[in-house]
Amino acid sequence: MDRKKLPIGIQTFRQIREDDWYYVDKTGYAAQMVAEGKTYFLSRPRRFGKSLFLDTLAEMFAGNKTLFEGLACYDTWDWDTVYPVVRISFADGVVADRAGLDLRVDEILADNADRLGVTLGAGSVAWRFTTLIRGAEARYGQRVVVLVDEYDKPILDNLADRDVARQIRDGLRDLYSVVKGQDAHIKFVLLTGVSKFSKVNIFSGLNNLLDITLSSRYSAVCGYTDHDVDTVFAPELEGLDRDQVRNWYNGYNWTGTAVYNPYDLLLLFSEHQFRNHWFETGSATFLVDMLMQRRFYLPDLARSYASSDLLSQFDVDDLATEALLFQSGYLTITGTQMVGDETFYILGFPNREVRGALNTLLLSALTDASTASNRRRQLALTLGAGDVSGLRQFFESLFAGIPHQWHTKNDIAHYEGYWSSLFYACFAATGLDVAPEESTNRGRLDLAVRMPDRVWLFELKVAERTPEGSALAQIKDRGYADQYRDRRVPIHMVGIELSEKTRQIVGFDTETIAG
């Protein structure tokens, strides 16, 4: 198979097909959606290929058959019928206030009217949008297709100012509510975005959408599967460790087939460097600030539970932590659990990139930001060398190096979970195989680090609340090491006691079981 050009940042289906770029065929999903339904909503994190999927649909409805030769939809799609397509996108630029939104909407409607040959007069947003839909239907003799890209971006850009975000939310509701009112004149609708705003606000006027976000059948509608990597991108795998590619970037899941973020893989194939390609394109500052303010227990990032209602909840006035983490791509679905008649989703990090990068950022927020990256490297080297004495020095330095203002100005430093969160973030940032709060039939270990040539088991206690030396004793008494004995590698058991009064390590007991 010959190598092709990598479509980094290319969201135009026609360009990809005409210029012979790599393309992962998603037309089967598109044809299936049109055959089985009419109005859809899909939420996926940024840079997952939503824009390209919408552009693909637009070309299908436009009847551009030659672009689809050899693809899944080619022999089943009705290429003789051409539909007018209204395209709405807020992907470009930033809307700063309600006036900016109104101006942007007017521009979008005018652009569609010009392209479709429809005349719009003056009037409200609802009236102009209605005129556009009915005018396009009359001119083409077919019902209208409405494709909306990044429907929620104007709101997300203003979450730091809730009043502005509410005003923009109301403005978008006025726009989208037209779609339901014009149902008789519409052939197909797909709205995509990052968040899922509940039906009581932005979707109150558009409650007929079928949400396929958590549909196992559409889990891979955006993103690349392992099969795609091994077939479509087979020429690009030369010189790369396939297991390392999977560990670093695979793992996003919406109850079906797991996928890679396309941007990650395309940059990896281009540069042949394992880096935080996707993570570095976004800003997680708002997210980190929220986690700190809410005193979120960071070990729960590796394993938490949420109902489908919670994952679908995203409102300007009620930003659920788990929903924000999930919808923005920092957590993904790793399993399900039935409780009575209700399904709960188990959330965790999708891959090494997100786990390491996010926890490095959180470590910076919990300690001195200037030392976070160096501490991550130092801890990984110390663990890899089995250096028990060096490990004690590392944690003594870590706790001693917490800026004084954390203890005087930030209430987060005064709750017990802070120490556990800091402890966890240090290990998770290394990119190693870390298991927080690992459960056994005799209790729950605070943290395990599983390496190819050794295992570390940690128990963290507050000295004033527990008997001296109880941390190491608990690891031994409850047999936390038993499940690792068959690995025949050294098992380092470490019990750490911290003082609430001095906020320093007052006990550091270790014992190693030879492999």
Side-chain angles (χ1 to χ4, degrees), residues 326-378:
F326 169 70
Q327 294 176 11
S328 56
Y330 297 105
L331 294 182
T332 195
I333 295 173
T334 60
T336 59
Q337 182 183 63
M338 291 297 299
V339 179
D341 295 330
E342 186 172 7
T343 300
F344 283 82
Y345 298 97
I346 305 171
L347 304 179
F349 293 115
N351 49 44
R352 176 176 174 176
E353 177 197 17
V354 176
R355 182 178 66 245
L358 180 58
N359 278 284
T360 297
L361 200 59
L362 291 167
L363 183 59
S364 298
L366 291 168
T367 60
D368 184 352
S370 65
T371 64
S373 293
N374 187 56
R375 289 191 187 280
R376 177 185 62 184
R377 172 181 173 275
Q378 181 184 354

Side-chain angles (χ1 to χ4, degrees), residues 231-244:
T231 54
V232 177
F233 295 104
E236 303 298 327
L237 292 173
E238 184 178 355
L240 293 171
D241 183 320
R242 186 66 181 86
D243 289 335
Q244 191 176 13

Side-chain angles (χ1 to χ4, degrees), residues 171-426:
L172 289 174
R173 180 171 55 201
D174 293 341
L175 174 68
Y176 300 139
S177 62
V178 171
V179 174
K180 184 178 181 180
Q182 297 304 308
D183 180 71
H185 308 280
I186 289 177
K187 165 68 176 179
F188 180 84
V189 177
L190 175 59
L191 272 76
T192 70
V194 170
S195 64
K196 171 62 187 295
F197 285 87
S198 62
K199 294 180 180 180
V200 298
N201 46 66
I202 196 169
F203 286 145
S204 60
L206 186 56
N207 56 10
N208 60 329
L209 294 174
L210 175 62
D211 186 357
I212 59 173
T213 299
L214 297 181
S215 169
S216 59
R217 299 169 63 207
Y218 291 101
S219 186
V221 67
C222 293
Y224 300 154
T225 67
D226 261 329
H227 178 72
D228 296 330
V229 175
D230 292 330
T231 54
V232 177
F233 295 104
E236 303 298 327
L237 292 173
E238 184 178 355
L240 293 171
D241 183 320
R242 186 66 181 86
D243 289 335
Q244 191 176 13
V245 174
R246 186 178 294 107
N247 183 43
W248 262 82
Y249 300 120
N250 193 21
Y252 293 96
N253 200 302
W254 288 270
T255 73
T257 304
V259 296
Y260 298 76
N261 178 281
Y263 188 78
D264 266 329
L265 279 191
L266 295 177
L267 264 292
L268 172 66
F269 295 150
S270 174
E271 302 178 8
H272 272 229
Q273 292 184 355
F274 288 90
R275 289 178 46 193
N276 305 323
H277 300 297
W278 173 80
F279 192 91
E280 291 172 355
T281 63
S283 174
T285 303
F286 174 83
L287 175 66
V288 170
D289 289 345
M290 184 193 71
L291 292 175
M292 296 297 102
Q293 293 168 3
R294 296 185 179 183
R295 300 180 175 184
F296 192 83
Y297 186 57
L298 296 189
D300 284 346
L301 289 171
R303 187 178 177 87
S304 55
Y305 297 83
S307 65
S308 59
D309 289 341
L310 181 62
L311 292 185
S312 297
Q313 176 185 349
F314 198 98
D315 187 16
V316 173
D317 299 310
D318 185 15
L319 295 173
T321 305
E322 290 82 1
L324 182 59
L325 288 164
F326 169 70
Q327 294 176 11
S328 56
Y330 297 105
L331 294 182
T332 195
I333 295 173
T334 60
T336 59
Q337 182 183 63
M338 291 297 299
V339 179
D341 295 330
E342 186 172 7
T343 300
F344 283 82
Y345 298 97
I346 305 171
L347 304 179
F349 293 115
N351 49 44
R352 176 176 174 176
E353 177 197 17
V354 176
R355 182 178 66 245
L358 180 58
N359 278 284
T360 297
L361 200 59
L362 291 167
L363 183 59
S364 298
L366 291 168
T367 60
D368 184 352
S370 65
T371 64
S373 293
N374 187 56
R375 289 191 187 280
R376 177 185 62 184
R377 172 181 173 275
Q378 181 184 354
L379 178 57
L381 291 174
T382 301
L383 293 171
D387 185 357
V388 175
S389 61
L391 189 64
R392 175 167 188 162
Q393 294 174 10
F394 171 86
F395 280 108
E396 287 178 339
S397 172
L398 173 71
F399 291 119
I402 295 174
H404 178 68
Q405 60 265 30
W406 270 109
H407 303 304
T408 58
K409 297 181 180 179
N410 293 278
D411 190 45
I412 190 174
H414 296 282
Y415 80 108
E416 186 177 353
Y418 166 80
W419 304 107
S420 296
S421 291
L422 173 60
F423 191 71
Y424 167 74
C426 282

